[in-house]
Amino acid sequence: MLWMTWPLWFACEKQGPRDPFSRKSEASIPDSRRHFTTVSEARRTYDTEQSHTEMSDPLGDAVGEEGIWSMIEEDPCGAWRHVESQKIADQQRQAILSRCAMTLTNRDRDSALHWVANLASPIDRRYAQSRLAVAWAAHDPAEAAGFFLKQGIHGHDDEVAAIQILQLWGQRSGADAIAWALTLPTSSLRKSGLEAVSEQWFLVDSAGYGQWLVKQKQSDSYEDLLAASSEVLGRQVPEKRRELLQAWPEILQQRVLSDAAPSGR
């Protein structure tokens, strides 16, 4: 895991607004400038009230879900503090947490790691870690995958995140993504992971995928890869299958096409 180079408070803690209306006492202002600071009491009161309204505490009760969503990009940590202080439906709460975690990760990953690790709820912490890993994978899938596995894979949300990491990784390095997919803890997740990588590799470089696959040794993993390729091809119309396989060795084409399920289109 990366060492944290910035303290959490630097990126996340909302600094108290400085009062722009504090003034030096008139006694400390030279006579030549004193007339510039003299305003009517009514105008002073109006300006102060208007400005304090505009700069009101963002944790005030007036901020609802729409306001929370609007402030995530600027202050994801502050937005999440709103959520923690209100009763928000679980589905909406999770969606906001996902956006906060991913926004902060894209901005400052070290601060995001610290913030996520210190979330009060273990459930929130677990989900935010999975979202952080997906955002991280867009920039460095290998490191993101390593972080993700260290946290452990627990439940559906983590499995979804694992597939998303593999999709992103498959666009960069199909072989490395496949190697990681084969380490996943359950057969069903490995199967879904291999299909996710196969689909991305087909789209990015189908010829390169075929050339790599034909060089692999016969093994259970090789059979799993062929099955994943067949499953992906089975979702395509015949014309698309031919396009994806046109640069593959003939023997490999026949093998995966014979196992491909009909597309139903």
Side-chain angles (χ1 to χ4, degrees):
M1 184 179 295
L2 299 176
W3 288 99
M4 290 172 287
T5 56
W6 295 97
L8 175 63
W9 58 265
F10 182 83
C12 296
E13 287 301 321
K14 179 158 183 64
Q15 302 298 310
R18 295 183 179 177
D19 184 0
F21 307 100
S22 61
R23 294 179 172 86
K24 299 178 180 178
S25 67
E26 290 194 5
S28 66
I29 301 174
D31 290 341
S32 61
R33 294 175 53 202
R34 190 170 299 172
H35 68 280
F36 289 110
T37 68
T38 303
V39 296
S40 70
E41 187 63 29
R43 179 57 183 270
R44 182 193 298 271
T45 301
Y46 174 82
D47 288 346
T48 300
E49 289 177 350
Q50 288 297 105
S51 298
H52 278 301
T53 297
E54 295 172 359
M55 299 178 64
S56 60
D57 184 355
L59 293 179
D61 294 337
V63 178
E65 290 183 25
E66 185 176 346
I68 291 172
W69 278 106
S70 67
M71 72 181 293
I72 289 175
E73 188 62 33
E74 180 178 351
D75 184 8
C77 300
W80 184 248
R81 287 196 296 272
H82 279 294
V83 175
E84 292 184 312
S85 68
Q86 301 180 32
K87 262 191 108 57
I88 296 179
D90 289 346
Q91 185 174 5
Q92 183 76 338
R93 177 188 175 91
Q94 193 176 66
I96 293 172
L97 178 55
S98 174
R99 180 72 67 82
C100 289
M102 298 182 84
T103 298
L104 187 56
T105 301
N106 289 330
R107 179 181 302 171
D108 185 338
R109 188 168 62 237
D110 289 344
S111 292
L113 286 164
H114 195 154
W115 179 75
V116 168
N118 286 279
L119 289 173
S121 163
I123 295 174
D124 290 340
R125 191 159 57 246
R126 177 71 255 170
Y127 184 68
Q129 284 172 341
S130 71
R131 296 296 87 204
L132 182 156
V134 172
W136 189 348
H139 305 283
D140 192 333
E143 285 196 1
F147 162 80
F148 186 69
L149 276 188
K150 284 181 182 178
Q151 314 311 308
I153 297 177
H154 309 283
H156 175 73
D157 291 332
D158 284 347
E159 292 181 352
V160 170
I163 298 304
Q164 292 173 325
I165 291 170
L166 284 167
Q167 288 172 327
L168 291 164
W169 204 348
Q171 296 169 12
R172 293 190 175 200
S173 174
D176 291 334
I178 283 173
W180 188 69
L182 291 170
T183 70
L184 294 175
T186 66
S187 59
S188 61
L189 186 55
R190 287 194 296 273
K191 178 178 181 296
S192 297
L194 290 175
E195 290 172 8
V197 178
S198 292
E199 184 172 38
Q200 295 303 314
W201 205 347
F202 267 128
L203 294 174
V204 172
D205 182 12
S206 59
Y209 184 25
Q211 292 167 8
W212 177 85
L213 190 54
V214 78
K215 296 176 183 177
Q216 303 310 300
K217 296 179 179 180
Q218 301 289 327
S219 65
D220 290 342
S221 296
Y222 179 77
E223 294 300 319
D224 290 342
L225 284 169
L226 290 180
S229 300
S230 297
E231 177 64 28
V232 172
L233 290 170
R235 303 169 191 163
Q236 313 299 321
V237 296
E239 294 79 9
K240 185 64 175 179
R241 294 183 194 180
R242 288 193 291 270
E243 177 187 337
L244 292 173
L245 291 177
Q246 62 183 346
W248 281 38
E250 183 67 26
I251 189 171
L252 199 55
Q253 288 190 40
Q254 294 176 0
R255 176 68 190 278
V256 296
L257 286 175
S258 67
D259 295 335
S263 64
R265 301 183 187 180

